Amino acid sequence: MRISVIVPAYNEEAVIGRCLEALARQSVPAEEIIVVDNNSADRTAEVAQAFGGSGVRVVREFRQGAVHARNRGFDEARGDVLGRIDADTMVGPEWVAQLVEAFSADPRTGACPDAVTGPSWFYDIPLRRAGLAAHRFFCHRLNRLLSGHAMLWGSNMALSRACWSEVRGHTCAEPGMWEDLDLAVHLNRLGLRVRYVDRLRVPVSARRIGASVRDLYSYLRAWPHTYRLHGQRRAAWGAAVFLLVGLVLLRPCSLLVRAHTPYDGTLSLVRLFRRSSTASRPLP
């Protein structure tokens, strides 16, 4: 089974190197690693090209937006399974091997999944177990409760090539939506199988939580908006309520994230008084 890994990237110079280093250390190497440079104004493409010896190739997508970058990467990929992570994801050395295992047939039914996904925890803040538990609840269990179908997590997911060929023409490209949730909605409507694999865990950055309240709200409001675009009114109302609850709960967490210096595990009170943490953790 050949695994392609797609990494959409927009101004990710600060984190893309760590992401590609982790992909290069897989116990089962990926067939290819495709970084899709989505009009970056920094050294994202240059950093990625330095990993050419590890199977990384860079393609450019000039239509701005994660959905266009993701689609370009999936269309370019040659593998049987198309993995997709974010540029701030740092997969463990067994991630590709776990994808191969996850796409094997279910011994009870004999069926193979069309897509797989798993949870994440935050590598650049303390309380990692709490972060993993929160991610399981908000990103997977809560969305399944609201919508009645499985969620995909864009930082940690994969589709079979046949699945992508079937769903490709159904995906939406409207601005201001979550492209992974849109993809999950269309997989469900087509009757395609999504397998949630809890042990398929990946560390990601908490940089979104450390953003300003305005930036965090701008990111989270895409949650109910995506459901609304697809006519799922009950799910949209539920997501809107939990969005407000989440903003209240995440505010103290945001302060902790901003005080926590990325990657070295130390706390700095000086960071609390900076206007934004985006200088060291740019938002995508």
Side-chain angles (χ1 to χ4, degrees):
M1 184 182 296
R2 299 176 302 163
I3 307 291
S4 297
V5 183
I6 291 84
V7 187
Y10 171 64
N11 289 345
E12 298 285 14
E13 176 186 351
V15 292
I16 189 71
R18 294 181 179 89
C19 171
L20 297 179
E21 286 173 2
L23 286 172
R25 293 196 298 264
Q26 295 297 294
S27 61
V28 176
E31 173 76 12
E32 60 182 349
I33 301 165
I34 302 174
V35 174
V36 185
D37 179 26
N38 197 202
N39 301 311
S40 297
D42 63 2
R43 297 177 60 253
T44 295
E46 183 179 338
V47 173
Q49 286 166 346
F51 287 85
S54 300
V56 175
R57 64 186 176 103
V58 178
V59 299
R60 287 180 169 81
E61 173 54 54
F62 297 104
R63 291 173 296 174
Q64 195 65 48
V67 64
H68 298 301
R70 178 204 68 193
N71 291 357
R72 177 64 187 275
F74 281 7
D75 291 343
E76 289 271 345
R78 300 185 295 261
D80 306 305
V81 169
L82 315 179
R84 186 260 199 254
I85 62 174
D86 283 330
D88 63 359
T89 305
M90 292 174 59
V91 299
E94 301 299 322
W95 186 72
V96 170
Q98 289 173 338
L99 281 185
V100 174
E101 180 181 349
F103 274 92
S104 61
D106 188 320
R108 296 170 297 179
T109 64
C112 296
D114 299 295
V116 301
T117 192
S120 293
W121 49 272
F122 302 116
Y123 59 75
D124 51 359
I125 61 170
L127 305 176
R128 292 177 178 178
R129 290 187 179 181
L132 175 61
H135 188 273
R136 282 195 190 110
F137 175 73
F138 282 102
C139 292
H140 295 285
R141 294 173 185 167
L142 179 57
N143 272 288
R144 181 181 285 276
L145 178 65
L146 292 174
S147 67
H149 60 75
M151 173 64 172
L152 287 174
W153 173 236
S155 294
N156 183 21
M157 72 179 202
L159 281 67
S160 70
R161 170 174 290 281
C163 173
W164 176 242
S165 296
E166 186 169 351
V167 77
R168 172 70 168 87
H170 298 270
T171 58
C172 304
E174 284 82 357
M177 70 170 191
W178 282 354
E179 49 86 18
D180 47 3
L181 178 53
D182 167 73
L183 187 56
V185 169
H186 290 292
L187 289 178
N188 175 66
R189 290 179 175 177
L190 292 170
L192 298 170
R193 298 176 298 274
V194 177
R195 177 181 291 175
Y196 171 81
V197 182
D198 189 70
R199 64 189 297 267
L200 187 71
R201 305 172 184 177
V202 299
V204 298
S205 174
R207 56 186 176 167
R208 289 189 180 93
I209 299 175
S212 67
V213 174
R214 184 176 65 179
D215 287 344
L216 184 59
Y217 173 72
S218 178
Y219 170 70
L220 290 177
R221 71 180 178 183
W223 181 18
H225 179 64
T226 305
Y227 280 129
R228 200 174 299 114
L229 282 173
H230 294 84
Q232 296 182 324
R233 295 184 179 180
R234 189 192 70 158
W237 276 107
V241 170
F242 278 101
L243 183 158
L244 296 176
V245 173
L247 284 175
V248 173
L249 295 178
L250 286 174
R251 185 52 185 162
C253 297
S254 177
L255 295 175
L256 176 62
V257 170
R258 292 180 66 172
H260 193 268
T261 305
Y263 314 120
D264 65 9
T266 62
L267 292 173
S268 172
L269 294 179
V270 174
R271 289 178 56 83
L272 280 176
F273 300 100
R274 292 182 182 175
R275 185 175 181 182
S276 172
S277 62
T278 56
S280 57
R281 300 184 224 200
L283 285 170

